[in-house]
């Protein structure tokens, strides 16, 4: 609750939210966040819930010439739930819709840190670990969450449920769990897995990584096999239930999660009861491992043959280029490569984690747990049996199944976060939780002392002292250095000032016809959809090939193309108004070759990147510059109807014949 209140207070101070008009508040939602919140507004305006859902599932008032199932394509279940709660609880008489919406998201973030607190506590056995987890999470807020700038993002709705699922899974995997606690963990894990899958279209990929971690855990520990296969059943049930309730979403059926888990379940059914240690048993182990590696791929290929689905070609090409397997001039792929969240993490990211002491302790804990886990593997290979319950005296933290799972999972997530910076928001909370667990766990210190063969001081006593002293010292140092900064953030009154966008939205609402269709950059179109409700030609969403193609075509207004070419592109989408942004037309980028106009020039063959930039001939100037000059042929196609310092709005004329 304290963390949720902290976020609310920080958000108020950052945007001076309560003193803003409704339009200015809405403008603080940028990009795809604006699109999500606009559908929440649409649901509240609908005469009934059923009618609202129908209009979202058969939506033709958002993107021109396109009818979309917005609930399925954009995972709008959070907006459906929020709108129902707002009206069913009678909150419309108490609180404004926007405050209700962001209040729910901030409340979920409180659940998020609570789940991390509980997970760290379960692993270490002390609440100190939970407190340290939350402290590191809050201090490294820039790298643990995007809640500051993009409240309606799907991950802000989904990740709290994933954290609850991980907490329940951690408890479920513990060896010394009683029946009632095990049943509670199982039910919580089932509910949170399904909810997580419904909230985010990319959730099944994250669950796939989790399934791989559990598969490797199953290989290392025989005792947890039955529990792990119960988790697999939860995955399959959640996938099929999600498939039905997401309007038969084929992405869930062709997901690697379903193929992987189904193949493992099938392999288990094919296993034969053979006496351990015999030659036949060893051969069967090899055959089973071969099936477990090859059957998921085969099954996925078979499913894709029979289930109609659309492959995201841009994403496949993006991955090829990202990993150096290919090169391309494609605008969309290169534009995605230039997005900050899809680049490799910067040095500043690691520097921030180091300054808060998080990264050094995480590396220490990871190394100790990993080495202890390797000892367990070697014991297994040598035929030695593992103890059912591990005590502090044993100094074998790597034998605990929940620890093995978390180590494997954090390595997988960390490997991906080293490639794509956007995944740090999933990995860094894990880092906070694992580092806090390690420094607060007597077992981890005891494991280290066993290796050092410490004899001068009683190792158990020293481990207990260090497990309390080290987190206390870390906590006091964090309090001294970072608490004043957090208080300063809450006392400083910042201001979000964007008068040009406010003026543009006001002009559209007052002057533009209701049936008008606007064209411009996807980010601006998202804001127009939210603030005015007018139809747009594109949206800032990147999980649909058609929308990506629309974005590329509309972005041609910043290329060196003729007025006639641009006119044909815009009229093909039935656009009536064109908005040119000065920030894009005169963009100055810090990353070489990542300006929109540079990417367009490469895609259109107007520039070649070699040792030196070599321009190729184009008889047309850059459209966004030329159209401002108001000379023929541009005035034949476009008439300027509004402008300010940042935006130029042109009415697209009805032209009978083209002039050169």
């Amino acid at each position: 609750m304290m963390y949720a209140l902290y976020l609310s207070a920080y958000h108020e101070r950052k945007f001076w939210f309560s003193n803003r008009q409704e339009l200015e508040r809405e403008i603080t939602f940028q990009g795809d966040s604006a699109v999500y919140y606009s559908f929440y507004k649409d649901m509240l305006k609908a005469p009934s819930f059923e009618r609202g859902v129908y209009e979202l599932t058969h939506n033709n008032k958002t993107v021109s010439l396109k009818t979309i199932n917005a609930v399925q394509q954009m995972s709008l279940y959070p907006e459906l739930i929020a709108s129902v709660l707002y009206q069913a609880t009678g909150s419309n008489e108490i609180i404004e819709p926007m405050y209700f919406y962001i209040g729910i998201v901030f409340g979920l973030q409180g659940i998020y840190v609570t789940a991390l607190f509980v997970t760290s506590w379960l692993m270490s056995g002390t609440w100190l670990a939970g407190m340290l987890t939350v402290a590191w999470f809050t201090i490294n807020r820039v790298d643990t969450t995007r809640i500051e700038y993009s409240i309606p993002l799907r991950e802000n709705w989904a990740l709290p449920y994933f954290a609850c699922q991980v907490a329940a899974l951690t408890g479920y995997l513990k060896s010394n769990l009683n029946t009632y606690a095990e049943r509670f963990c199982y039910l919580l894990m089932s509910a949170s897995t399904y909810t997580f899958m419904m909230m985010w279209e990319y959730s099944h990929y994250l669950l796939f990584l989790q399934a791989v971690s559990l598969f490797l855990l199953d290989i290392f520990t025989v005792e947890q096999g039955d529990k792990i296969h119960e988790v697999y059943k939860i995955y399959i049930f959640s996938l099929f239930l999600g498939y039905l309730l997401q309007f038969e979403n084929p992405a869930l059926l062709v997901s690697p999660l379903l193929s992987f888990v189904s193949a493992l379940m099938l392999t288990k059914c094919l296993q034969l009861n053979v006496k351990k240690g015999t030659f036949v048993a060893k051969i069967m182990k090899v055959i089973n491992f071969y099936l477990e590696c090859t059957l998921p791929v085969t099954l996925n290929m078979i499913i894709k043959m029979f289930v109609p689905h659309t492959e995201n070609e841009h994403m496949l090409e993006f991955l090829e280029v990202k990993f150096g397997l290919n090169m391309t001039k494609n605008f969309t792929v290169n534009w995605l490569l230039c997005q900050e969240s899809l680049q490799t993490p910067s040095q500043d990211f690691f520097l921030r984690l180091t300054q808060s002491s998080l990264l050094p302790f995480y590396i220490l804990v990871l190394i100790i747990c990993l080495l202890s886990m390797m000892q367990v593997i070697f014991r297994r290979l040598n035929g030695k049996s593992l103890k059912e319950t591990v005590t502090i005296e044993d100094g074998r933290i790597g034998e605990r199944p929940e620890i093995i799972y978390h180590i494997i999972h954090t390595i997988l997530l960390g490997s991906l976060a080293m490639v794509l910076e956007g995944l740090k928001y999933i990995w860094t909370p894990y880092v906070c939780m694992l580092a806090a667990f390690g420094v607060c766990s007597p077992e981890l210190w005891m494991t280290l002392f066993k290796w050092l063969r410490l004899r001068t001081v009683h190792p158990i006593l020293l481990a207990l002292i260090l497990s309390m002293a080290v987190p206390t010292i870390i906590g006091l140092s964090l309090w001294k250095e970072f608490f004043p900064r957090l208080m300063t953030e809450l006392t400083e009154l910042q201001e979000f000032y964007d008068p040009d966008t406010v003026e543009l939205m006001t002009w559209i609402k007052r002057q533009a016809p209701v049936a008008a269709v606007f064209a411009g950059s996807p980010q601006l179109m998202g804001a127009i959809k939210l603030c005015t409700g007018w139809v747009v030609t594109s949206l800032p969403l990147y999980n649909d090939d058609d929308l990506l193609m629309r974005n590329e075509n509309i972005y041609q207004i910043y290329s060196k193309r003729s007025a006639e070419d641009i006119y044909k592109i815009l009229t093909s989408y039935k656009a009536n108004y064109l908005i040119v942004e000065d920030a894009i037309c005169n963009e100055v980028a810090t990353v070489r070759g990542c300006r929109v106009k540079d990417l367009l020039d490469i895609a259109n063959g107007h520039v070649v990147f070699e040792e030196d930039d070599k321009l190729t001939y184009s008889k047309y100037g850059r459209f966004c510059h030329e159209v401002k000059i108001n000379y023929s042929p541009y005035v034949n196609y476009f008439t300027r109807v509004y402008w300010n310092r940042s935006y130029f709005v042109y009415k697209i004329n009805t032209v009978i014949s083209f002039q050169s």
Side-chain angles (χ1 to χ4, degrees):
M1 185 177 289
M2 287 178 64
Y3 181 70
L5 292 173
Y6 162 73
L7 284 179
S8 179
Y10 178 74
H11 183 261
E12 169 64 27
R13 286 291 180 178
K14 184 175 182 63
F15 294 106
W16 206 9
F17 214 63
S18 60
N19 292 282
R20 294 291 179 187
Q21 297 178 357
E22 183 72 12
L23 179 59
E24 292 176 302
R25 293 175 186 171
E26 290 177 348
I27 288 173
T28 62
F29 294 147
Q30 302 288 323
D32 51 349
S33 296
V35 180
Y36 296 131
Y37 185 76
S38 70
F39 289 115
Y40 169 70
K41 282 180 61 179
D42 292 343
M43 281 299 298
L44 294 180
K45 292 176 184 176
S48 66
F49 177 75
E50 292 78 9
R51 183 63 189 173
V53 172
Y54 178 82
E55 289 179 355
L56 290 187
T57 53
H58 302 79
N59 187 284
N60 58 2
K61 297 179 181 178
T62 298
V63 183
S64 61
L65 302 179
K66 189 176 176 70
T67 299
I68 59 175
N69 184 341
V71 178
Q72 181 197 67
Q73 189 166 341
M74 303 178 198
S75 298
L76 294 181
Y77 289 94
E79 282 65 35
L80 297 182
I81 295 169
S83 63
V84 169
L85 289 175
Y86 183 72
Q87 293 174 332
T89 58
S91 299
N92 50 347
E93 300 176 0
I94 306 170
I95 189 172
E96 297 177 42
M98 182 174 288
Y99 278 105
F100 184 82
Y101 184 90
I102 64 177
I104 292 177
V105 182
F106 289 155
L108 284 173
Q109 301 310 300
I111 294 174
Y112 192 0
V113 295
T114 303
L116 293 174
F117 179 99
V118 171
T119 306
S120 192
W121 190 349
L122 283 171
M123 292 170 66
S124 64
T126 172
W127 58 269
L128 274 175
M131 294 296 290
L132 190 56
T133 299
V134 176
W136 267 327
F137 184 92
T138 307
I139 289 166
N140 294 282
R141 190 185 63 250
V142 177
D143 301 306
T144 55
T145 177
R146 286 197 283 188
I147 192 72
E148 286 184 32
Y149 302 99
S150 305
I151 292 174
L153 280 183
R154 300 302 83 181
E155 65 192 54
N156 292 333
W157 287 88
L159 289 180
Y161 295 103
F162 181 65
C164 291
Q165 191 255 17
V166 170
L169 179 60
T170 303
Y172 186 68
L173 290 175
K174 290 177 76 71
S175 301
N176 54 347
L177 205 64
N178 62 56
T179 307
Y180 294 107
E182 184 176 310
R183 190 174 301 169
F184 172 76
C185 289
Y186 183 83
L187 292 174
L188 177 59
M189 185 167 43
S190 302
S192 53
T193 300
Y194 172 70
T195 309
F196 174 58
M197 198 171 291
M198 295 295 288
M199 292 290 174
W200 197 17
E201 65 267 29
Y202 300 118
S203 59
H204 55 90
Y205 293 112
L206 193 52
L207 291 174
F208 170 69
L209 286 180
Q210 188 182 71
V212 173
S213 305
L214 291 172
F215 165 65
L216 294 175
L217 171 63
D218 191 17
I219 293 175
F220 299 148
T221 58
V222 179
E223 295 80 8
Q224 298 294 324
D226 293 337
K227 284 187 176 182
I228 291 171
H229 281 81
E230 287 298 319
V231 180
Y232 291 162
K233 293 176 184 177
I234 293 175
Y235 291 150
I236 294 176
F237 175 77
S238 299
L239 280 168
F240 280 110
L241 189 59
Y243 169 75
L244 295 174
L245 294 181
Q246 287 187 15
F247 307 93
E248 299 183 357
N249 185 2
L252 295 179
L253 293 186
V254 299
S255 70
L257 175 63
L258 180 61
S259 306
F260 183 71
V261 173
S262 300
L264 294 180
M265 297 289 288
L266 184 61
T267 306
K268 183 177 174 63
C269 294
L270 295 175
Q271 285 181 355
L272 301 175
N273 291 323
V274 183
K275 187 177 180 181
K276 292 182 179 180
T278 62
F279 177 75
V280 177
K282 292 178 180 179
I283 293 296
M284 288 303 300
K285 278 188 177 181
V286 174
I287 294 173
N288 283 330
F289 184 75
Y290 175 77
L291 287 174
E292 288 167 344
C293 292
T294 58
L295 197 56
V297 179
T298 307
L299 196 57
N300 189 255
M301 293 174 65
I302 294 172
I303 292 173
K304 286 183 176 181
M305 288 173 58
F306 292 98
V307 176
H309 67 287
T310 55
E311 293 280 4
N312 196 326
E313 299 294 340
H314 286 104
M315 281 300 172
L316 294 175
E317 191 174 353
F318 163 79
L319 292 174
E320 289 180 0
V321 178
K322 179 70 179 177
F323 292 108
L325 302 176
N326 197 1
M327 294 183 67
T328 183
K329 293 182 178 180
N330 183 280
F331 168 81
T332 300
V333 174
N334 287 325
W335 184 82
L336 289 171
L337 287 168
C338 285
Q339 299 306 297
E340 185 179 353
S341 61
L342 298 177
Q343 295 180 357
T344 53
S346 63
Q347 292 181 352
D348 292 339
F349 166 61
F350 299 104
L351 185 61
R352 287 191 297 270
L353 296 189
T354 304
Q355 287 174 341
S356 64
S357 72
L358 173 59
L359 191 60
F361 282 108
Y362 168 75
I363 293 173
L364 173 66
V365 172
L366 183 65
I367 290 173
I368 294 174
C369 291
L370 193 59
L371 290 175
S372 181
M373 195 176 83
M374 296 301 293
Q375 283 185 326
V376 174
I377 295 171
F378 284 124
R379 286 197 194 97
R380 283 289 311 279
L381 292 175
N382 292 330
K384 295 180 181 179
S385 60
L386 304 180
K387 295 181 68 174
E388 290 187 7
T389 55
V390 182
T391 60
I392 298 177
E393 293 85 352
D394 296 324
R396 297 180 185 176
I397 198 166
E399 282 193 17
R400 288 170 54 186
E402 70 272 24
I403 304 300
I404 297 175
Y405 156 71
H406 280 291
I407 293 300
I408 297 170
H409 201 182
T410 191
I411 290 173
L412 292 177
L413 287 175
S415 302
L416 292 175
M418 295 304 103
V419 179
L420 302 173
E421 185 171 3
L423 292 176
K424 72 179 182 180
Y425 299 106
I426 301 173
W427 179 62
T428 312
Y430 233 101
V431 173
C432 297
M433 181 264 296
L434 204 67
F437 136 74
V439 297
C440 297
S441 172
E443 287 182 67
L444 183 129
W445 294 110
M446 191 63 195
T447 302
L448 180 62
F449 296 153
K450 279 278 188 179
W451 295 340
L452 298 176
R453 300 182 185 278
L454 189 66
R455 300 185 186 279
T456 54
V457 184
H458 197 287
I460 297 178
L461 179 62
L462 186 59
L464 290 170
I465 293 172
L466 285 178
S467 65
M468 291 184 288
V470 173
T472 303
I473 294 170
I474 295 171
L476 290 173
S477 64
L478 293 178
W479 178 279
K480 182 180 178 181
E481 184 175 355
F482 293 98
F483 184 73
R485 298 185 193 179
L486 295 177
M487 290 299 101
T488 303
E489 288 179 350
L490 294 180
T491 53
E492 283 185 352
L493 186 62
Q494 303 178 47
E495 189 172 9
F496 181 80
Y497 188 65
D498 191 1
D500 292 344
T501 305
V502 173
E503 291 172 8
L504 173 65
M505 299 303 167
T506 304
W507 180 86
I508 292 173
K509 294 171 77 172
R510 291 177 179 175
Q511 302 294 330
V514 177
V517 177
F518 283 84
S521 70
Q523 288 72 24
L524 182 60
M525 293 302 100
I528 289 176
K529 169 67 178 78
L530 168 58
C531 298
T532 69
W534 265 245
V535 179
V536 295
T537 55
S538 58
L539 290 174
L541 300 171
Y542 314 116
N543 57 354
D544 182 88
D545 279 342
D546 180 60
L547 286 175
L548 286 171
M549 184 57 66
R550 281 173 175 254
N551 293 345
E552 180 176 349
N553 290 336
I554 300 299
Y555 265 132
Q556 295 297 325
I557 62 179
Y558 301 104
S559 69
K560 296 178 179 180
R561 300 278 293 271
S562 67
E564 182 179 340
D565 287 346
I566 302 299
Y567 178 83
K568 286 180 177 179
I569 290 171
L570 296 175
T571 52
S572 69
Y573 295 117
K574 301 297 181 184
N576 306 116
Y577 289 89
L578 166 66
I579 303 177
V580 176
E581 295 174 63
D582 210 44
I584 299 178
C585 193
N586 299 313
E587 183 180 5
V588 179
T590 54
V591 182
R592 181 176 179 269
C594 271
R595 296 181 301 179
V596 168
K597 52 189 180 182
D598 293 338
L599 299 176
L600 289 166
D601 290 344
I602 295 171
N604 296 335
H606 295 153
V607 65
V608 178
F609 277 120
E610 295 178 351
E611 292 183 2
D612 298 314
D613 291 348
K614 181 180 178 182
L615 294 172
T616 59
Y617 174 71
S618 176
K619 64 179 181 179
Y620 304 108
R622 198 167 300 282
F623 175 83
C624 63
H625 289 150
E626 301 297 320
V627 74
K628 296 177 185 177
I629 304 175
N630 283 336
Y631 69 91
S632 182
Y634 296 92
V635 292
N636 299 332
Y637 303 113
F638 307 98
T639 302
R640 189 165 63 189
V641 292
Y642 172 81
W643 71 94
N644 59 29
R645 290 175 301 176
S646 302
Y647 303 102
F648 294 81
V649 183
Y650 297 88
K651 189 177 188 302
I652 301 171
N653 301 329
T654 304
V655 180
I656 298 174
S657 60
F658 296 108
Q659 302 176 26
S660 60

